[in-house]
Amino acid sequence: MHESIYTPSEDSYLMSRILKEQLPPLLEKNPDLKFLEIGAGSGIHLQTAENLGIKRENIFSSDINKASVSHCNLLGFNCIHSDLFEHIDGYFDIIIFNPPYLPDDSRESKFSKLNTTAGKKGNEIILRFLKEAKNYLKDRGKIFLITSSLSKEINFHILGYNEKEVGCEKLFFERLCVWELEII
Ligand SMILES: C[S@@+](CC[C@H](N)C(=O)[O-])C[C@H]1O[C@@H](n2cnc3c(N)ncnc32)[C@H](O)[C@@H]1O
């Protein structure tokens, strides 16, 4: 079995909707916005960022899954193979992440887990991401991050961020939210 690229799902569509609402006013203020997506998957948000007017040369991305990296490169986007920020350089106005956020489930395959599962509590990858992300944000830069009610709650303040809930979606078995985060 190979590492499969994450097929856009409810969480992806929620993130897309929020980007379409939140990015235009930010772009109006700064047409040179530098945008980074961690965990680009199918590239759905890279495409949205470009459609909204972010210059292609200002769109950067990464994924831990080499199949996603190749796919996004084929679409013409700058995407590198990296575990979170391991190989990322520079500072960004916007960083987005639709992370693996589910608690471990032994019935799930190893490859599917790469897309969905973060560890025992479900918030492990988000915690690692938030500890590192502040080193890559420009002054007044913003993070857009998805969390799920199925994973252990996160105290953004303790990690050094002010949070604003910018959109949620109730699904059959969980509630997904997108948070806008800024360094305190
Ligand atoms: C839920 S999918 C989201 C994909 C896409 N952004 C979307 O919204 O449809 C999570 C993505 O994060 C990637 N990923 C998981 N762990 C990662 C890590 N440590 N560093 C970078 N990417 C990671 C997965 O390979 C997958 O592409």
Side-chain angles (χ1 to χ4, degrees), residues 93-169:
D93 299 286
I94 306 287
I95 301 178
I96 74 162
F97 193 23
N98 174 14
Y101 48 68
L102 293 180
D104 214 0
D105 180 341
S106 55
R107 290 164 300 181
E108 204 171 353
S109 81
K110 185 175 144 214
F111 294 114
S112 155
K113 275 184 185 181
L114 256 187
N115 288 319
T116 59
T117 306
K120 267 203 176 122
K121 298 177 184 163
N123 66 4
E124 290 86 344
I125 292 183
I126 294 179
L127 292 178
R128 270 178 59 212
F129 167 82
L130 289 174
K131 277 182 194 143
E132 297 175 29
K134 49 166 83 90
N135 301 322
Y136 297 86
L137 269 183
K138 285 197 193 179
D139 195 28
R140 311 196 62 187
K142 291 177 193 295
I143 292 172
F144 292 97
L145 170 74
I146 294 200
T147 63
S148 159
S149 55
L150 295 179
S151 64
K152 191 169 185 302
E153 216 170 290
I154 289 154
N155 185 327
F156 294 111
H157 270 243
I158 284 182
L159 294 163
Y161 297 93
N162 280 323
E163 83 271 22
K164 187 164 110 192
E165 201 182 84
V166 282
C168 291
E169 183 125 343

Coordinates of all heavy atoms in Angstrom, one line a residue, residues 93-169:
D93 N 3.0 35.9 6.4 CA 1.9 36.7 6.9 C 0.8 35.7 7.4 O 0.0 36.0 8.3 CB 1.4 37.6 5.8 CG 2.4 38.6 5.4 OD1 2.7 39.5 6.2 OD2 3.0 38.4 4.3
I94 N 0.6 34.6 6.6 CA -0.4 33.7 6.9 C 0.2 32.3 6.9 O 0.9 31.9 6.0 CB -1.5 33.7 5.8 CG1 -2.0 35.1 5.5 CG2 -2.6 32.7 6.0 CD1 -3.0 35.6 6.6
I95 N -0.2 31.5 8.0 CA 0.2 30.1 8.0 C -1.1 29.3 8.3 O -1.8 29.7 9.2 CB 1.2 29.8 9.1 CG1 2.5 30.6 8.9 CG2 1.5 28.3 9.1 CD1 3.6 30.4 10.0
I96 N -1.4 28.3 7.4 CA -2.6 27.5 7.7 C -2.2 26.1 7.9 O -1.2 25.6 7.4 CB -3.6 27.7 6.6 CG1 -3.2 26.9 5.3 CG2 -3.9 29.2 6.2 CD1 -4.4 26.7 4.3
F97 N -3.1 25.4 8.6 CA -2.9 23.9 8.9 C -4.2 23.3 9.2 O -4.9 23.7 10.1 CB -1.9 23.8 10.1 CG -1.4 22.4 10.3 CD1 -1.3 21.4 9.2 CD2 -0.9 22.0 11.5 CE1 -0.8 20.2 9.4 CE2 -0.3 20.7 11.7 CZ -0.3 19.8 10.6
N98 N -4.6 22.3 8.4 CA -5.7 21.4 8.7 C -5.0 20.1 9.1 O -4.7 19.3 8.2 CB -6.6 21.2 7.4 CG -7.6 20.2 7.6 OD1 -7.9 19.7 8.7 ND2 -8.3 19.7 6.5
P99 N -4.8 19.9 10.4 CA -3.8 18.9 10.8 C -4.5 17.5 11.0 O -5.7 17.5 11.1 CB -3.4 19.4 12.2 CG -4.6 20.1 12.7 CD -5.3 20.7 11.5
P100 N -3.7 16.5 11.2 CA -4.3 15.3 11.7 C -4.7 15.6 13.2 O -3.8 16.1 14.0 CB -3.1 14.3 11.7 CG -2.1 14.9 10.8 CD -2.3 16.4 10.9
Y101 N -5.9 15.3 13.5 CA -6.4 15.8 14.9 C -7.2 14.7 15.6 O -7.8 15.0 16.7 CB -7.3 17.0 14.8 CG -8.4 17.0 13.7 CD1 -9.4 16.1 13.8 CD2 -8.3 17.7 12.6 CE1 -10.4 16.0 12.9 CE2 -9.3 17.7 11.6 CZ -10.3 16.8 11.7 OH -11.3 16.7 10.8
L102 N -7.1 13.5 15.1 CA -7.9 12.4 15.8 C -7.1 11.6 16.8 O -5.9 11.4 16.5 CB -8.5 11.5 14.8 CG -9.6 12.0 13.9 CD1 -10.1 11.0 12.9 CD2 -10.7 12.6 14.7
P103 N -7.7 11.2 17.9 CA -7.0 10.3 18.8 C -6.7 9.0 18.1 O -7.5 8.6 17.2 CB -7.9 10.2 20.0 CG -9.0 11.2 19.8 CD -9.0 11.5 18.4
D104 N -5.7 8.3 18.5 CA -5.3 7.0 18.0 C -6.5 6.0 17.9 O -7.2 5.9 18.9 CB -4.2 6.4 18.8 CG -3.2 5.7 18.0 OD1 -3.4 5.6 16.8 OD2 -2.2 5.2 18.6
D105 N -6.6 5.3 16.8 CA -7.6 4.2 16.7 C -6.9 3.0 16.1 O -6.5 3.1 14.9 CB -8.8 4.7 15.9 CG -9.9 3.6 15.7 OD1 -9.6 2.4 15.9 OD2 -11.0 4.0 15.4
S106 N -6.8 1.9 16.8 CA -6.0 0.8 16.3 C -6.5 0.2 15.0 O -5.9 -0.5 14.3 CB -5.8 -0.2 17.4 OG -7.1 -0.6 17.8
R107 N -7.8 0.5 14.7 CA -8.4 -0.1 13.5 C -8.0 0.6 12.3 O -8.2 0.1 11.2 CB -10.0 -0.1 13.6 CG -10.5 -1.0 14.7 CD -11.9 -0.7 15.0 NE -12.0 0.7 15.6 CZ -13.1 1.3 16.0 NH1 -14.3 0.7 15.9 NH2 -13.1 2.5 16.4
E108 N -7.4 1.8 12.4 CA -7.1 2.6 11.2 C -5.7 2.1 10.7 O -4.8 1.8 11.4 CB -7.1 4.1 11.6 CG -7.3 4.9 10.4 CD -7.5 6.4 10.8 OE1 -7.6 6.7 12.0 OE2 -7.5 7.2 9.8
S109 N -5.6 2.2 9.3 CA -4.3 1.7 8.7 C -3.2 2.8 9.0 O -3.5 4.0 9.2 CB -4.5 1.5 7.2 OG -4.4 2.8 6.6
K110 N -2.0 2.3 8.9 CA -0.8 3.2 9.2 C -0.8 4.4 8.2 O -0.5 5.5 8.6 CB 0.4 2.3 8.9 CG 1.7 3.0 9.3 CD 2.9 2.0 9.1 CE 4.1 2.7 8.6 NZ 4.9 1.9 7.7
F111 N -1.2 4.2 7.0 CA -1.1 5.2 6.0 C -2.3 6.2 6.1 O -2.1 7.4 6.0 CB -1.1 4.7 4.6 CG 0.2 3.9 4.4 CD1 0.2 2.5 4.2 CD2 1.4 4.6 4.4 CE1 1.4 1.8 4.0 CE2 2.6 3.9 4.3 CZ 2.6 2.5 4.1
S112 N -3.5 5.7 6.5 CA -4.6 6.6 6.7 C -4.3 7.5 7.9 O -4.7 8.7 8.0 CB -5.8 5.8 6.8 OG -6.8 6.4 7.5
K113 N -3.6 6.9 8.9 CA -3.3 7.7 10.1 C -2.5 8.9 9.9 O -2.6 9.9 10.6 CB -2.5 6.8 11.1 CG -3.4 5.9 11.9 CD -2.6 5.1 12.9 CE -3.5 4.1 13.7 NZ -2.8 3.4 14.7
L114 N -1.6 8.9 8.9 CA -0.8 10.0 8.5 C -1.6 11.3 8.3 O -1.2 12.4 8.6 CB 0.0 9.7 7.2 CG 1.4 9.4 7.3 CD1 2.0 9.3 5.9 CD2 2.2 10.4 8.2
N115 N -2.8 11.1 7.7 CA -3.7 12.2 7.4 C -4.6 12.6 8.6 O -5.0 13.8 8.7 CB -4.7 11.8 6.3 CG -4.0 11.7 4.9 OD1 -3.1 12.5 4.6 ND2 -4.3 10.7 4.1
T116 N -4.9 11.6 9.4 CA -6.0 11.9 10.4 C -5.6 11.9 11.9 O -6.2 12.6 12.7 CB -7.1 10.8 10.2 OG1 -6.5 9.6 10.5 CG2 -7.7 10.9 8.9
T117 N -4.5 11.1 12.2 CA -4.3 10.8 13.6 C -3.1 11.4 14.2 O -2.0 11.4 13.5 CB -4.2 9.2 13.7 OG1 -5.3 8.6 13.1 CG2 -4.1 8.8 15.2
A118 N -3.2 12.0 15.4 CA -2.1 12.8 15.9 C -1.4 12.1 17.1 O -0.3 12.4 17.4 CB -2.7 14.1 16.4
G119 N -2.1 11.1 17.7 CA -1.5 10.5 18.9 C -2.6 10.1 19.8 O -3.7 10.1 19.5
K120 N -2.2 9.7 21.1 CA -3.2 9.2 22.0 C -4.3 10.2 22.3 O -5.5 9.9 22.4 CB -2.5 9.0 23.4 CG -2.0 7.6 23.5 CD -1.8 7.2 25.0 CE -1.5 5.8 25.1 NZ -0.2 5.5 25.8
K121 N -4.0 11.5 22.4 CA -5.0 12.5 22.8 C -5.6 13.2 21.6 O -6.6 13.9 21.6 CB -4.3 13.6 23.7 CG -3.9 13.0 25.0 CD -3.2 14.0 25.8 CE -2.6 13.4 27.1 NZ -1.6 14.3 27.7
G122 N -4.9 13.1 20.4 CA -5.4 13.8 19.2 C -4.9 15.2 19.0 O -5.0 15.7 17.9
N123 N -4.3 15.8 20.1 CA -3.8 17.2 19.9 C -2.3 17.3 19.8 O -1.7 18.4 19.7 CB -4.3 18.1 21.0 CG -3.7 17.7 22.4 OD1 -2.9 16.8 22.4 ND2 -4.2 18.3 23.4
E124 N -1.6 16.1 19.7 CA -0.1 16.1 19.8 C 0.5 16.9 18.6 O 1.5 17.7 18.8 CB 0.4 14.7 19.8 CG 0.1 13.9 21.1 CD -1.2 13.2 21.2 OE1 -2.1 13.6 20.3 OE2 -1.4 12.4 22.0
I125 N 0.0 16.7 17.4 CA 0.7 17.4 16.3 C 0.4 18.9 16.3 O 1.3 19.7 16.0 CB 0.2 16.7 14.9 CG1 0.8 15.3 14.9 CG2 0.7 17.6 13.7 CD1 0.5 14.6 13.6
I126 N -0.8 19.2 16.7 CA -1.2 20.7 16.9 C -0.3 21.3 17.9 O 0.2 22.4 17.7 CB -2.7 20.8 17.3 CG1 -3.5 20.3 16.1 CG2 -3.0 22.3 17.6 CD1 -5.0 20.4 16.4
L127 N 0.0 20.6 19.0 CA 0.9 21.2 20.1 C 2.3 21.5 19.5 O 2.9 22.5 19.7 CB 0.9 20.3 21.3 CG -0.4 20.3 22.1 CD1 -0.3 19.3 23.3 CD2 -0.9 21.6 22.6
R128 N 2.8 20.5 18.8 CA 4.1 20.6 18.2 C 4.1 21.8 17.2 O 5.0 22.6 17.2 CB 4.5 19.4 17.4 CG 5.2 18.3 18.2 CD 5.5 17.1 17.4 NE 6.3 17.4 16.2 CZ 6.2 16.7 15.1 NH1 5.4 15.7 14.9 NH2 7.0 17.0 14.1
F129 N 3.0 21.8 16.4 CA 2.9 22.9 15.4 C 2.9 24.3 16.0 O 3.6 25.2 15.6 CB 1.6 22.7 14.6 CG 1.2 23.8 13.7 CD1 1.7 24.0 12.5 CD2 0.2 24.7 14.2 CE1 1.3 25.1 11.7 CE2 -0.2 25.8 13.4 CZ 0.4 26.0 12.2
L130 N 2.1 24.4 17.1 CA 2.0 25.7 17.7 C 3.3 26.2 18.4 O 3.6 27.4 18.5 CB 0.8 25.8 18.7 CG -0.6 25.7 18.0 CD1 -1.7 25.5 19.1 CD2 -0.8 26.9 17.2
K131 N 4.0 25.2 18.9 CA 5.3 25.6 19.6 C 6.3 26.2 18.5 O 7.0 27.1 18.8 CB 5.9 24.4 20.3 CG 5.3 24.2 21.6 CD 5.9 23.0 22.4 CE 4.9 22.7 23.6 NZ 4.8 21.3 23.9
E132 N 6.2 25.6 17.3 CA 7.2 26.1 16.3 C 6.7 27.2 15.5 O 7.5 28.1 15.0 CB 7.5 24.9 15.3 CG 8.1 23.7 16.0 CD 8.3 22.5 15.1 OE1 8.4 22.7 13.8 OE2 8.3 21.4 15.5
A133 N 5.4 27.3 15.2 CA 4.8 28.2 14.2 C 5.2 29.7 14.5 O 5.4 30.5 13.6 CB 3.3 28.1 14.2
K134 N 5.3 30.1 15.8 CA 5.5 31.5 16.1 C 6.9 32.0 15.6 O 7.0 33.2 15.4 CB 5.3 31.8 17.6 CG 6.0 30.8 18.6 CD 6.0 31.4 20.0 CE 4.8 31.1 20.7 NZ 4.8 29.9 21.5
N135 N 7.8 31.0 15.4 CA 9.1 31.4 14.9 C 9.1 31.7 13.4 O 10.1 32.1 12.8 CB 10.1 30.3 15.1 CG 10.2 30.0 16.6 OD1 10.2 30.9 17.4 ND2 10.3 28.7 16.9
Y136 N 7.9 31.5 12.7 CA 7.9 31.7 11.3 C 6.8 32.7 10.9 O 6.5 32.9 9.7 CB 7.5 30.3 10.6 CG 8.6 29.3 10.9 CD1 8.6 28.5 12.0 CD2 9.7 29.2 10.0 CE1 9.7 27.6 12.3 CE2 10.7 28.3 10.2 CZ 10.7 27.5 11.4 OH 11.7 26.7 11.6
L137 N 6.2 33.4 11.9 CA 5.2 34.4 11.6 C 5.8 35.8 11.5 O 6.6 36.1 12.4 CB 4.2 34.4 12.7 CG 2.9 33.5 12.6 CD1 2.0 33.8 13.8 CD2 2.2 33.7 11.3
K138 N 5.4 36.5 10.5 CA 5.8 37.9 10.5 C 5.1 38.7 11.6 O 4.1 38.2 12.1 CB 5.4 38.5 9.1 CG 6.3 38.1 8.0 CD 6.1 39.1 6.9 CE 6.7 38.6 5.6 NZ 6.5 39.5 4.5
D139 N 5.5 39.9 11.8 CA 4.9 40.8 12.8 C 3.4 40.9 12.4 O 3.1 41.1 11.2 CB 5.5 42.2 12.6 CG 5.2 43.0 13.8 OD1 4.9 42.5 14.9 OD2 5.2 44.3 13.6
R140 N 2.5 40.7 13.3 CA 1.0 40.7 13.1 C 0.5 39.6 12.1 O -0.6 39.7 11.6 CB 0.6 42.1 12.6 CG 1.1 43.2 13.5 CD 0.5 44.5 13.4 NE -1.0 44.4 13.8 CZ -1.8 45.4 13.6 NH1 -1.4 46.5 13.1 NH2 -3.0 45.3 13.9
G141 N 1.4 38.6 11.9 CA 1.0 37.5 11.1 C -0.1 36.6 11.7 O -0.3 36.7 13.0
K142 N -0.9 35.9 10.9 CA -2.0 35.1 11.5 C -1.9 33.6 11.1 O -1.4 33.3 10.0 CB -3.3 35.6 10.9 CG -3.7 37.0 11.3 CD -5.0 37.4 10.6 CE -5.3 38.9 10.8 NZ -5.6 39.3 12.1
I143 N -2.4 32.8 12.0 CA -2.5 31.4 11.7 C -4.0 31.0 11.6 O -4.8 31.5 12.4 CB -1.9 30.6 12.9 CG1 -0.4 30.8 13.0 CG2 -2.2 29.1 12.8 CD1 0.3 30.2 14.2
F144 N -4.3 30.2 10.6 CA -5.6 29.6 10.6 C -5.5 28.1 10.8 O -4.8 27.4 10.0 CB -6.3 29.9 9.3 CG -6.7 31.4 9.1 CD1 -5.8 32.2 8.4 CD2 -7.8 31.9 9.8 CE1 -6.1 33.6 8.3 CE2 -8.1 33.3 9.7 CZ -7.2 34.1 8.9
L145 N -6.1 27.6 11.8 CA -5.9 26.2 12.3 C -7.2 25.5 12.6 O -8.1 26.1 13.2 CB -5.0 26.3 13.6 CG -4.9 24.9 14.3 CD1 -3.9 24.0 13.6 CD2 -4.4 25.2 15.8
I146 N -7.3 24.3 12.1 CA -8.6 23.5 12.5 C -8.3 22.6 13.7 O -7.3 22.0 13.9 CB -8.9 22.6 11.3 CG1 -9.3 23.5 10.1 CG2 -10.1 21.6 11.6 CD1 -10.1 22.8 9.0
T147 N -9.4 22.6 14.5 CA -9.4 21.6 15.7 C -10.7 20.9 15.7 O -11.7 21.3 15.0 CB -9.2 22.3 17.0 OG1 -10.3 23.2 17.3 CG2 -7.9 23.1 17.1
S148 N -10.7 19.8 16.4 CA -11.9 18.9 16.4 C -12.3 18.7 17.9 O -11.4 18.6 18.7 CB -11.6 17.6 15.8 OG -12.6 16.6 16.2
S149 N -13.6 18.6 18.1 CA -14.1 18.3 19.5 C -13.6 16.9 19.9 O -13.7 16.6 21.1 CB -15.6 18.4 19.5 OG -16.1 17.5 18.5
L150 N -13.2 16.1 19.0 CA -12.8 14.7 19.4 C -11.4 14.7 20.0 O -11.0 13.7 20.6 CB -12.8 13.8 18.1 CG -14.2 13.6 17.5 CD1 -14.0 12.7 16.3 CD2 -15.1 12.9 18.5
S151 N -10.6 15.7 19.8 CA -9.3 15.7 20.4 C -9.2 16.6 21.7 O -10.1 17.4 21.9 CB -8.2 16.2 19.4 OG -8.4 17.5 19.1
K152 N -8.2 16.3 22.5 CA -8.1 17.0 23.8 C -8.0 18.6 23.5 O -7.3 19.0 22.6 CB -6.9 16.5 24.5 CG -6.8 17.0 26.0 CD -5.7 16.3 26.7 CE -5.7 16.6 28.2 NZ -5.5 17.9 28.5
E153 N -8.7 19.3 24.3 CA -8.8 20.8 24.1 C -7.4 21.4 24.3 O -6.5 20.9 25.0 CB -9.7 21.4 25.1 CG -10.5 22.6 24.6 CD -11.6 23.0 25.5 OE1 -12.6 22.2 25.7 OE2 -11.4 24.1 26.1
I154 N -7.2 22.6 23.6 CA -5.9 23.2 23.6 C -6.0 24.6 24.2 O -7.0 25.3 24.0 CB -5.4 23.4 22.1 CG1 -5.0 22.0 21.6 CG2 -4.2 24.3 22.0 CD1 -5.1 21.9 20.1
N155 N -5.1 24.9 25.1 CA -5.1 26.2 25.8 C -4.1 27.1 25.0 O -2.9 27.0 25.1 CB -4.6 26.1 27.2 CG -4.7 27.4 27.9 OD1 -4.5 28.5 27.3 ND2 -5.0 27.4 29.2
F156 N -4.7 27.9 24.0 CA -3.8 28.7 23.1 C -3.0 29.7 23.9 O -1.9 30.0 23.5 CB -4.7 29.4 22.1 CG -5.4 28.4 21.1 CD1 -6.7 28.2 21.2 CD2 -4.6 27.7 20.2 CE1 -7.4 27.3 20.3 CE2 -5.2 26.8 19.3 CZ -6.6 26.6 19.4
H157 N -3.6 30.3 25.0 CA -2.9 31.3 25.7 C -1.6 30.8 26.3 O -0.6 31.5 26.2 CB -3.8 31.9 26.8 CG -4.6 33.0 26.4 ND1 -4.5 34.3 26.9 CD2 -5.5 33.1 25.4 CE1 -5.3 35.0 26.3 NE2 -6.0 34.4 25.3
I158 N -1.7 29.6 26.9 CA -0.5 29.1 27.5 C 0.6 28.9 26.5 O 1.8 29.0 26.7 CB -0.8 27.7 28.2 CG1 -1.5 28.0 29.5 CG2 0.5 26.8 28.4 CD1 -1.9 26.7 30.3
L159 N 0.2 28.7 25.2 CA 1.2 28.5 24.1 C 1.6 29.8 23.5 O 2.4 29.8 22.6 CB 0.6 27.5 23.1 CG 0.4 26.1 23.6 CD1 -0.6 25.4 22.6 CD2 1.7 25.4 23.7
G160 N 1.0 30.9 24.0 CA 1.5 32.2 23.5 C 0.7 32.8 22.4 O 1.2 33.7 21.7
Y161 N -0.6 32.4 22.3 CA -1.4 32.9 21.2 C -2.7 33.5 21.7 O -3.3 33.0 22.7 CB -1.8 31.8 20.2 CG -0.6 31.2 19.5 CD1 0.0 30.1 20.0 CD2 -0.1 31.8 18.3 CE1 1.1 29.5 19.3 CE2 1.0 31.2 17.6 CZ 1.6 30.1 18.1 OH 2.6 29.5 17.5
N162 N -3.2 34.6 21.1 CA -4.6 35.0 21.2 C -5.4 34.3 20.2 O -5.0 34.2 19.0 CB -4.7 36.5 21.0 CG -4.3 37.3 22.2 OD1 -4.5 36.9 23.4 ND2 -3.6 38.4 22.0
E163 N -6.6 33.8 20.6 CA -7.4 33.1 19.6 C -8.7 33.7 19.3 O -9.3 34.4 20.2 CB -7.6 31.6 20.1 CG -8.7 31.4 21.0 CD -8.3 31.6 22.5 OE1 -7.3 32.2 22.7 OE2 -9.0 31.0 23.4
K164 N -9.2 33.5 18.1 CA -10.6 33.9 17.7 C -11.2 32.8 16.9 O -10.5 32.3 16.0 CB -10.5 35.2 16.9 CG -11.8 35.8 16.6 CD -11.6 37.3 16.1 CE -11.9 37.4 14.6 NZ -11.5 38.6 14.0
E165 N -12.4 32.4 17.3 CA -13.0 31.3 16.5 C -13.6 31.9 15.3 O -14.5 32.8 15.4 CB -14.1 30.7 17.4 CG -14.6 29.3 17.1 CD -15.7 28.9 18.0 OE1 -16.8 29.3 17.7 OE2 -15.4 28.2 19.0
V166 N -13.2 31.5 14.1 CA -13.8 32.2 12.9 C -14.8 31.4 12.1 O -15.3 31.9 11.2 CB -12.6 32.7 12.0 CG1 -12.0 34.0 12.5 CG2 -11.6 31.7 11.7
G167 N -15.0 30.1 12.5 CA -16.0 29.3 11.8 C -16.0 27.9 12.4 O -14.9 27.4 12.6
C168 N -17.2 27.4 12.6 CA -17.3 26.0 13.0 C -18.3 25.2 12.2 O -19.2 25.9 11.5 CB -17.8 26.0 14.5 SG -16.5 26.6 15.6
E169 N -18.2 23.9 12.3 CA -19.2 23.1 11.6 C -19.5 21.9 12.4 O -18.6 21.2 12.9 CB -18.5 22.7 10.2 CG -19.4 21.9 9.4 CD -19.6 22.4 8.0 OE1 -19.2 23.6 7.8 OE2 -20.0 21.7 7.2

